[in-house]
Amino acid sequence: MIKALLALAVTFTLVWTLNTKHGDVPPFGKLLSPYRGFWQNGEARNTFPAQQTLALPGLQQPVTVRYDDRRVPHVFAQNDADLYFAQGYLTARDRLWQMEFQTHVAAGRLAELVGPARLETDRFFRRMGLPFGAANSLKVMMANPTTRTVLTSYSAGVNAYIGQLTPATLPFEYKLLDYQPEPWQPLKCALLLKFMAWDLSGRTDDLRMSNILGKYGPAVTRDLFPDYPSREDPIVPVGTPLDFQPLPAPPVPKSFTAAAATRQLRTEPDAELGSNNFAVSGAKSASGYPLLANDPHLQLNLPSIWYQIQLSAPGVNVYGVTIPGAPTVIIGFNENTAWGVTNVAADVLDFYQLKFKDQTQREYWHDGRWKPVRRVVERIKVRGQPDRLDTVPYTHHGPVVYNKAEKPFVAQTPIAHALRWTAHDGANEVLAFYQLNRARSYPDYTAALAHYGSPAQNFIFADNQKDIAIWPNGRFPLKWPNQGKFILDGTDPAYDWQGWIPAAHNPHVKNPARGFVSSANQFSAGPDYPYYLNWNYANYERGHRINQRLSAMSQVTPDSLRLLQNDVLDLNAQLMLPKMLALVDAATPAAGSAEANVLAEMRRWPYQYTADAIGPSVFTVWYNDFVKRLWDDDFGSKVTGVEMRYPARDRTNNLILNEPNSPWIDDRRTPDKETLPQLALQSLRFATDSLTRKFGALGPKWRWANQKSTDVLHLLQLPGFGQLDVDCGGGAGIVNATSERNGPSWRMVVALGPQVRAYGVYPGGQSGNPGSPFYNNLLETWRVGQLDELVFLRSAQEQHPRVPTAWTLQGK
């Protein structure tokens, strides 16, 4: 009896252990089960049904779904409600875990899935106010009958798929992390949009710049951090006539010096996130109709950031990509128009230094009186532990991201400062895309943009009426010059945002004489634009190179724009390498030395960042170390003890090119007085030594693809579920902006005309299932810089050799 009881106890213990998640260890019993484990997620190419009818509760009328050979669904519905129900259902079939997981990140709910390791991540996103902003936008979207239908129908479609799931058919990641999907609600769609707002507008240099101003004063700050660079090629060309009467800028208040803050940088949105888009007029094209191209640069992940779909119903027939979890098409085209987006990088996030009445932080001083603090208690669920309560103070500006002297999750977040951010304001981005999907002409496009709030985007446009245009668009606060370049005074109402730039006054240009429009995250407009948007944008080289190529083009075809998307000439190297070579020549490296051999290689390099070239590997390490040696003793956070930043590339290059006697050249940490030739030679030696240690003596192993090592990782960074060391060229600051982890997340070229034709690809596949042949089947096409022709059907019955599948979705 005792042996039997012991055996039973051991059996029960083993069953419990193997079916329970322990910390980061998955429940191996369930995960490895042949009946419900990950084996069930395997998918053979020939098991996808060519025809089937699915009965789904909630559909009003039958919906036809045609799948093409890339597993892209082409949805034909008879009304809007069914159209977006089907979009939600089909997207969830392919990407449910991805779309839900990202909403958990934005909502600050990771700890309830993975435990206390992500508690600080959850606190940060809640304290940044992402759920607060999502709730505000949801109120606006649900108040509009059109977008209420879109969101509720989309949610119902997602839930129809969730309702079909069994333990065996759960997506793999749910099994690995041992949790279940929850019902989808419209709030999750809003959370995804706010997560993109964080990714694209969540950076701020307020703290760094205030520390620089406090240490070096206004004269040095103006010199090293000017409001407009010496080299720039703005989106709206200088001299473009204004078609509006500008509002007066708010008066500049009395000067305010923020208190210094010491924080070490841990994480923030990547500064290299950006994008390209461009459109050429019919006068420059071979067809006589406009062409449009877009390639948003984001972090390269699997499952892919984007999801391709065609949506057709009365009044709309649109193809493009959307973020899984967001209804409508975000970047795409229809039979009459095409559009794309890049990030604006406007200053729409400011921190305000507060004065609290006492340590209880229940009141703060503003406009000559004490005002009450609104206290929001966040309840954070933690897997395997009791819930945590976190009280977030809110002022009229917004949340106080960190109100106690603790180590912030993001180091540039100042303590006891309130955050004012456009992402907290309600807007109806879904309505903007709903109307863009149905746009037939330029007036439709501009009407749609009026609903868009954040993150601010450069919306490029072309249509069959042969118009091309671009609008840097979003809600831009009406500011006095440089308002928000430094931390602002939270006690003085003169420092508050004083309203908004009217939407019609946003920078824009239509049908310019040069025959093209473009953007690459550079300045939205030149110094002649009457409003302040920001002082710091992406470096100019990428945008200028695009404009160089477009200016020289004629008889443009889709392949012309594809080749431009793959351009790898580095204008920064073209400008700076001759000077750097001259500097090290003056320092005379020893003949026959490793440095001399590297210099010989660099003199032959034509500034192209191709995969096999050695020059990019050397120049990138050499230039970056040169810049670090120039500025680190004066602006490095580890040296100065406070969070700072380096001067921008334009100002740095001007110093190297034109200011050999600048006092900034000397490294104050050494007794000697350094010169530019010495710094250049030291950096060359550093680059040579670094690459030699990594790859051995100078040779083919130094090729750029090896040094850059582009990785497309699974969202959870699971080993074996991504693609490491993708062999490709490109780099940060180049038109083909493929870097170590970021790059073109979707390449699209659209040729408008009587029969629109389009081409596109992204580095992944339609399926989010690692066991599917459509998980990363497009990666090789993307890697070699090619595009697939996109199948655009005019009707549900149209026959096409690449569209073998026809499903019917109908109500129960």
Side-chain angles (χ1 to χ4, degrees):
M1 180 64 70
I2 294 175
K3 289 182 179 180
L5 291 174
L6 285 174
L8 191 62
V10 169
T11 300
F12 278 123
T13 301
L14 188 61
V15 169
W16 177 83
T17 300
L18 290 176
N19 286 278
T20 305
K21 187 174 185 289
H22 302 278
D24 293 331
V25 179
F28 280 109
K30 289 190 287 187
L31 187 64
L32 299 177
S33 166
Y35 304 106
R36 57 182 292 182
F38 78 94
W39 313 99
Q40 294 291 327
N41 296 108
E43 178 187 317
R45 186 179 293 268
N46 59 2
T47 59
F48 195 71
Q51 293 186 339
Q52 69 171 333
T53 298
L54 298 176
L56 304 175
L59 279 175
Q60 301 172 18
Q61 295 174 289
V63 175
T64 299
V65 181
R66 305 280 303 281
Y67 276 98
D68 66 30
D69 56 358
R70 300 297 189 268
R71 195 64 67 82
V72 175
H74 304 257
V75 184
F76 294 85
Q78 300 175 53
N79 56 73
D80 275 0
D82 288 347
L83 183 69
Y84 296 108
F85 180 103
Q87 185 184 13
Y89 176 81
L90 297 169
T91 307
R93 278 182 63 96
D94 284 325
R95 303 288 190 89
L96 176 63
W97 175 80
Q98 174 193 12
M99 52 199 274
E100 195 193 33
F101 181 78
Q102 292 183 138
T103 65
H104 275 81
V105 176
R109 295 180 55 200
L110 280 184
E112 68 182 86
L113 306 182
V114 300
R118 288 300 179 188
L119 178 60
E120 285 306 308
T121 306
D122 289 350
R123 290 187 65 226
F124 175 74
F125 280 114
R126 294 186 189 216
R127 285 178 163 270
M128 281 293 292
L130 268 69
F132 168 65
N136 288 337
S137 283
L138 183 64
K139 291 175 185 175
V140 177
M141 292 188 285
M142 295 301 282
N144 179 284
T146 297
T147 47
R148 183 170 62 249
T149 295
V150 171
L151 291 169
T152 55
S153 300
Y154 186 91
S155 300
V158 175
N159 289 329
Y161 177 67
I162 293 174
Q164 295 178 338
L165 289 171
T166 66
T169 59
L170 272 178
F172 163 74
E173 292 88 352
Y174 287 108
K175 299 175 182 178
L176 182 70
L177 298 177
D178 192 30
Y179 74 103
Q180 299 283 326
E182 63 186 14
W184 189 271
Q185 297 179 4
L187 177 63
K188 289 180 177 288
C189 300
L191 282 165
L192 275 175
L193 293 171
K194 297 306 176 183
F195 189 60
M196 288 303 295
W198 153 251
D199 212 23
L200 297 173
S201 68
R203 286 183 62 86
T204 174
D205 278 326
D206 300 10
L207 170 64
R208 299 182 181 99
M209 291 305 302
S210 291
N211 287 341
I212 290 168
L213 180 64
K215 182 175 178 64
Y216 292 111
V220 167
T221 304
R222 281 194 300 269
D223 175 36
L224 296 184
F225 301 90
D227 296 335
Y228 196 80
S230 62
R231 300 173 191 83
E232 185 52 292
D233 198 344
I235 294 169
V236 176
V238 173
T240 299
L242 299 180
D243 57 3
F244 56 84
Q245 183 61 41
L247 300 178
V252 180
K254 63 183 180 181
S255 62
F256 166 73
T257 302
T262 58
R263 287 292 176 267
Q264 293 302 313
L265 185 64
R266 286 184 62 186
T267 188
E268 62 183 334
D270 197 319
E272 292 297 340
L273 295 182
S275 304
N276 305 322
N277 60 22
F278 32 92
V280 298
S281 69
K284 287 181 74 74
S285 76
S287 68
Y289 283 88
L291 295 100
L292 180 146
N294 190 194
D295 53 301
H297 306 153
L298 298 168
Q299 191 174 82
L300 303 178
N301 291 320
L302 289 172
S304 296
I305 293 171
W306 302 101
Y307 183 74
Q308 294 183 62
I309 196 166
Q310 180 177 357
L311 298 172
S312 182
V316 62
N317 189 12
V318 62
Y319 186 111
V321 292
T322 189
I323 300 167
T328 73
V329 164
I330 292 177
I331 298 171
F333 63 94
N334 58 38
E335 294 181 270
N336 299 290
T337 67
W339 69 95
V341 296
T342 67
N343 199 38
V344 172
D347 185 6
V348 294
L349 187 159
D350 292 332
F351 276 105
Y352 286 82
Q353 183 173 303
L354 300 176
K355 177 183 178 182
F356 287 111
K357 186 174 184 179
D358 52 41
Q359 291 185 346
T360 65
Q361 298 185 347
R362 299 292 180 124
E363 296 177 276
Y364 68 104
W365 185 259
H366 180 262
D367 197 15
R369 61 189 178 93
W370 296 108
K371 294 185 175 180
V373 169
R374 182 169 67 91
R375 295 163 64 84
V376 175
V377 178
E378 297 281 357
R379 178 179 292 273
I380 304 176
K381 295 181 179 180
V382 183
R383 185 167 189 161
Q385 295 186 5
D387 294 354
R388 306 291 177 89
L389 300 181
D390 191 28
T391 302
V392 184
Y394 275 75
T395 70
H396 74 287
H397 298 292
V400 182
V401 181
Y402 284 97
N403 57 308
K404 297 178 182 178
E406 59 181 291
K407 187 175 184 180
F409 180 76
V410 175
Q412 84 278 16
T413 309
I415 300 298
H417 289 62
L419 172 65
R420 182 69 178 98
W421 187 20
T422 54
H424 292 156
D425 299 318
N428 198 342
E429 289 83 9
V430 171
L431 184 59
F433 291 116
Y434 177 93
Q435 293 185 355
L436 274 175
N437 290 186
R438 291 158 174 76
R440 295 176 176 270
S441 62
Y442 179 79
D444 294 340
Y445 152 77
T446 56
L449 297 190
H451 302 290
Y452 190 85
S454 72
Q457 298 289 289
N458 300 301
F459 282 84
I460 200 165
F461 173 82
D463 67 16
N464 271 341
Q465 298 181 26
K466 302 186 179 182
D467 287 326
I468 60 171
I470 191 166
W471 281 69
N473 187 71
R475 295 195 75 196
F476 300 124
L478 181 63
K479 294 184 172 186
W480 36 268
N482 283 333
Q483 183 179 359
K485 186 173 183 177
F486 311 97
I487 288 175
L488 299 171
D489 185 356
T491 70
D492 187 345
Y495 283 81
D496 290 5
W497 289 0
Q498 307 294 319
W500 303 94
I501 297 173
H505 296 192
N506 289 347
H508 57 277
V509 60
K510 177 187 178 188
N511 298 329
R514 63 185 185 178
F516 66 86
V517 291
S518 72
S519 73
N521 316 111
Q522 73 269 48
F523 273 74
S524 300
D528 55 342
Y529 179 66
Y531 297 106
Y532 174 74
L533 295 178
N534 203 354
W535 68 277
N536 186 43
Y537 287 79
N539 295 315
Y540 104 113
E541 288 87 2
R542 185 160 45 90
H544 185 61
R545 176 59 177 165
I546 290 170
N547 291 348
Q548 275 186 343
R549 291 281 303 270
L550 292 173
S551 296
M553 286 184 186
S554 62
Q555 296 295 302
V556 180
T557 66
D559 204 53
S560 307
L561 300 190
R562 178 191 68 83
L563 291 171
L564 176 51
Q565 288 178 330
N566 286 279
D567 187 279
V568 291
L569 178 69
D570 183 9
L571 293 188
N572 187 54
Q574 191 177 61
L575 175 70
M576 297 306 299
L577 182 58
K579 179 64 174 181
M580 293 163 65
L581 291 171
L583 287 171
V584 295
D585 283 345
T588 60
S593 64
E595 291 81 14
N597 294 334
V598 169
L599 287 175
E601 177 71 32
M602 296 306 290
R603 291 189 179 94
R604 296 191 294 268
W605 178 48
Y607 316 116
Q608 298 278 343
Y609 271 58
T610 56
D612 288 327
I614 292 173
S617 301
V618 176
F619 179 78
T620 300
V621 180
W622 183 9
Y623 178 81
N624 289 343
D625 188 71
F626 192 12
V627 171
K628 182 178 180 181
R629 290 177 190 273
L630 187 62
W631 296 123
D632 203 54
D633 59 315
D634 298 300
F635 297 97
S637 300
K638 292 183 179 179
V639 177
T640 61
V642 294
E643 187 70 20
M644 291 189 178
R645 55 159 291 170
Y646 295 168
R649 178 188 287 175
D650 181 75
R651 183 65 186 89
T652 299
N653 287 351
N654 283 340
L655 187 151
I656 294 171
L657 292 169
N658 306 316
E659 302 174 36
N661 299 315
S662 169
W664 300 105
I665 296 170
D666 179 46
D667 188 338
R668 65 182 66 220
R669 296 169 294 187
T670 69
D672 299 326
K673 184 175 182 179
E674 283 76 15
T675 65
L676 276 178
Q678 289 173 334
L679 295 183
L681 182 57
Q682 290 168 7
S683 294
L684 175 63
R685 287 172 176 161
F686 174 82
T688 303
D689 292 345
S690 298
L691 293 168
T692 301
R693 287 194 302 270
K694 188 173 182 180
F695 300 115
L698 176 64
K701 289 184 178 180
W702 286 33
R703 62 194 297 270
W704 174 233
N706 293 348
Q707 168 66 6
K708 174 164 65 85
S709 184
T710 296
D711 294 336
V712 184
L713 301 181
H714 187 273
L715 269 177
L716 293 177
Q717 299 192 6
L718 299 174
F721 290 83
Q723 188 73 41
L724 302 181
D725 301 323
V726 178
D727 195 288
C728 59
I734 299 169
V735 178
N736 178 359
T738 308
S739 61
E740 291 85 347
R741 286 288 291 117
N742 302 321
S745 58
W746 163 246
R747 290 190 180 115
M748 179 186 77
V749 176
V750 181
L752 292 155
Q755 293 285 317
V756 63
R757 299 186 72 173
Y759 311 82
V761 74
Y762 52 60
Q766 283 289 96
S767 177
N769 176 15
S772 168
F774 294 92
Y775 178 65
N776 63 356
N777 60 304
L778 304 179
L779 181 58
E780 179 62 14
T781 303
W782 175 89
R783 183 189 73 82
V784 298
Q786 295 297 320
L787 301 174
D788 287 332
E789 183 162 5
L790 306 178
V791 176
F792 183 67
L793 302 179
R794 271 75 184 178
S795 73
Q797 294 75 37
E798 180 181 343
Q799 296 301 304
H800 194 289
R802 288 180 51 196
V803 187
T805 302
W807 291 7
T808 299
L809 313 182
Q810 62 185 29
K812 274 190 176 179

